[in-house]
Amino acid sequence: MSISVFELFKVGVGPSSSHTVGPMVAARQFVQDLREQHKLAQTDRVEVHLYGSLALTGIGHGTDMAVLMGLLGEAPDTIDVDTIDDKLEQIAQNASLNLASDHAIEFNRERDLQFHNDEFLPQHANGMTCRAFDGETLLFERSYFSIGGGFVLSEEDFAHKEQIATLLPYDFSSAEELMNLCERHGWTIAELAMANEKAFHTEAEVKAMLWHIWQVMDASIQRGCRQHGTLPGGLKVRRRAAELYRELSKQSEEERRNGLAILDWVSLYALAVNEENAARGRIVTAPTNGAAGVIPAAIAYYVDFVHDPDIHGDLKDQVVKFLLTAGAIGMLFKKNASISAAEVGCQGEIGVACSMASAGLAAVQGGSNQQIENAAEIGMEHNLGLTCDPIGGLVQVPCIERNTMGAVKAINAARLALRGDGAHIVPLDSVIETMRQTGIDMQSKYKETSQGGLAVNAVNC
Ligand code: SF4
């Protein structure tokens, strides 16, 4: 199944792609399905049942909020994040909600939104079932699966997900196929990705859309650098980006560009984005929300400290090249392993984002396709086995800091690859397969259930 880079970079809302963006998309889809079945007008009550990881960490990940917003007809990329609290307040006060914004039904949160902590649907760890009733009569029922990165499949789609293919002119299923295609056509990875995107849009449109993705990423950095206080959820995590930004802004230009001081800026960019994500702000899912800071931090590092127009050319073209390259690498993980922490742990979030960022950085610094593949491989190889164990089920600790580590590791992976000639022992395909197998072997308590690791060993005060 080949996909577009825009399925890996989506404007969304925090804090989680699988537990916030996905459930919002699914609940909205349910209401649309209900309308298509001509049963919306008859519906006087809906029930949403959350299973597995969605139930276990749903409260901390804002899944309840996301489901309600989806039922209202809101979408992750367009919802005004500043209105969410008011909308929740209204639903609670009136004990009712407007399905698809125009069909009022009663809504009792305890009765109609149920968390099944001990039950997993057989198909996937992130399952939810939606039911519509007319009185006691069940009108319509459908299950949906949030399979990572905000992707949602209905139970029907899930049954034949291997057949859901997007026919692209230059389809590839493995890194080896990608490299061979590039060699055959004399293209860079970014050029091949662009050729595929042109199946849907003009080149100018693709460039404009990717530049917009970067603009939203950059805005999340800027906004994160201005917000103070503690993050929601009860863990009392203090926002650090604004204070760090104020400190770093005092540096002279010489101090700022002095060796390891650059890493402070890289950490700042990642902290800012992920604090915004934890505060349910506007971010770009890249390829997930928990890891949304890695790629923006890597691009901001390039923009602020590396890019030289005389050497690298137009900045916009370079950012587009970064995102196309990173997107092509992300597709390989999506297809052959997973970008869902509920399936493979944090390898699938920070690990994949790091690998994508490593490839993007190598590309914009003039790396060959072999060096880019090497960078992507290094970026994942040293994240293998990374577990998902967020404290309190919140996408805060270790998640926010972990993005700084992912970004710094990506810079190092790109540098290591660019110092070599592209030759390396472990192919990217082997690392992806190793990541998949490691994810299968990983116990469920380390896969976004908050039942192991830091989630049980750190004091939750
Ligand atoms: S630990 Fe990693 S995978 Fe788990 S929620 Fe945090 S960032 Fe996402």
Side-chain angles (χ1 to χ4, degrees), residues 356-388:
M356 292 168 69
S358 306
L361 278 173
V364 293
Q365 292 176 93
S368 65
N369 287 341
Q370 287 71 23
Q371 287 171 316
I372 294 168
E373 192 241 9
N374 188 192
E377 179 268 318
I378 296 170
M380 172 52 76
E381 186 177 315
H382 307 288
N383 279 300
L384 288 173
L386 196 63
T387 59
C388 171

Side-chain angles (χ1 to χ4, degrees), residues 44-369:
D44 63 12
R45 192 168 73 79
V46 296
E47 279 180 8
V48 178
H49 297 260
L50 301 167
Y51 296 94
S53 176
L54 286 185
L56 286 162
T57 59
I59 294 292
H61 284 48
T63 308
D64 46 347
M65 169 279 289
V67 167
L68 296 186
M69 292 304 112
L71 292 175
L72 293 179
E74 296 285 0
D77 57 336
T78 53
I79 187 169
D80 179 349
V81 292
D82 295 329
T83 66
I84 291 176
D85 286 343
D86 284 348
K87 289 187 167 97
L88 292 174
E89 182 71 28
Q90 275 181 16
I91 292 170
Q93 265 182 11
N94 304 334
S96 72
L97 60 75
N98 282 329
L99 277 184
S101 82
D102 63 4
H103 178 68
I105 59 166
E106 64 173 275
F107 190 81
N108 176 324
R109 194 174 166 124
E110 278 65 47
R111 181 194 62 190
D112 298 331
L113 182 58
Q114 295 187 27
F115 292 76
H116 300 270
N117 289 1
D118 299 325
E119 244 182 287
F120 282 71
L121 294 182
Q123 295 94 327
H124 193 275
N126 289 332
M128 59 190 264
T129 300
C130 305
R131 298 190 180 111
F133 294 89
D134 176 4
E136 294 303 309
T137 307
L138 177 64
L139 292 173
F140 181 61
E141 169 179 327
R142 185 162 280 169
S143 292
Y144 302 86
F145 301 94
S146 178
I147 61 170
F151 290 86
V152 169
L153 293 177
S154 68
E155 56 192 304
E156 292 81 6
D157 290 341
F158 199 92
H160 58 272
K161 66 181 160 90
E162 298 311 326
Q163 282 88 54
I164 301 172
T166 308
L167 285 178
L168 295 178
Y170 306 98
D171 200 7
F172 57 90
S173 294
S174 65
E176 188 181 358
E177 284 180 21
L178 171 63
M179 299 295 279
N180 287 342
L181 271 174
C182 287
E183 192 176 334
R184 193 179 316 148
H185 294 279
W187 284 337
T188 63
I189 291 172
E191 286 167 343
L192 184 132
M194 174 61 91
N196 277 336
E197 293 304 324
K198 280 161 71 177
F200 311 111
H201 307 282
T202 66
E203 186 166 326
E205 285 169 345
V206 174
K207 284 184 175 176
M209 288 158 70
L210 286 171
W211 183 249
H212 173 67
I213 289 289
W214 162 240
Q215 295 294 294
V216 178
M217 287 177 172
D218 191 35
S220 65
I221 294 175
Q222 304 304 330
R223 189 172 151 81
C225 285
R226 294 194 305 271
Q227 305 298 317
H228 295 269
T230 55
L231 294 167
L235 208 51
K236 300 189 185 111
V237 173
R238 192 170 53 83
R239 296 183 74 138
R240 286 182 283 177
E243 212 171 296
L244 181 57
Y245 175 62
R246 207 186 58 226
E247 283 300 310
L248 295 181
S249 299
K250 293 176 190 163
Q251 293 172 337
S252 66
E253 190 57 26
E254 193 184 341
E255 287 169 327
R256 185 174 134 97
R257 293 189 169 271
N258 178 18
L260 291 176
I262 293 174
L263 296 187
D264 294 338
W265 285 92
V266 175
S267 294
L268 168 69
Y269 306 141
L271 287 177
V273 174
N274 284 83
E275 287 176 0
E276 276 300 282
N277 180 58
R280 299 180 180 173
R282 170 74 69 231
I283 49 88
V284 174
T285 301
T288 66
N289 281 27
V294 174
I295 288 172
I299 298 178
Y301 157 75
Y302 174 76
V303 170
D304 288 351
F305 296 102
V306 180
H307 179 254
D308 179 340
D310 294 333
I311 300 171
H312 303 112
D314 181 62
L315 178 62
K316 208 180 250 192
D317 288 344
Q318 288 294 88
V319 170
V320 167
K321 183 194 280 187
F322 186 116
L323 290 171
L324 286 170
T325 308
I329 298 300
M331 287 178 200
L332 296 171
F333 285 99
K334 178 86 182 65
K335 173 169 175 52
N336 297 309
S338 172
I339 58 170
S340 165
E343 286 186 315
V344 294
C346 201
Q347 309 173 104
E349 293 211 14
I350 296 291
V352 173
C354 178
S355 179
M356 292 168 69
S358 306
L361 278 173
V364 293
Q365 292 176 93
S368 65
N369 287 341

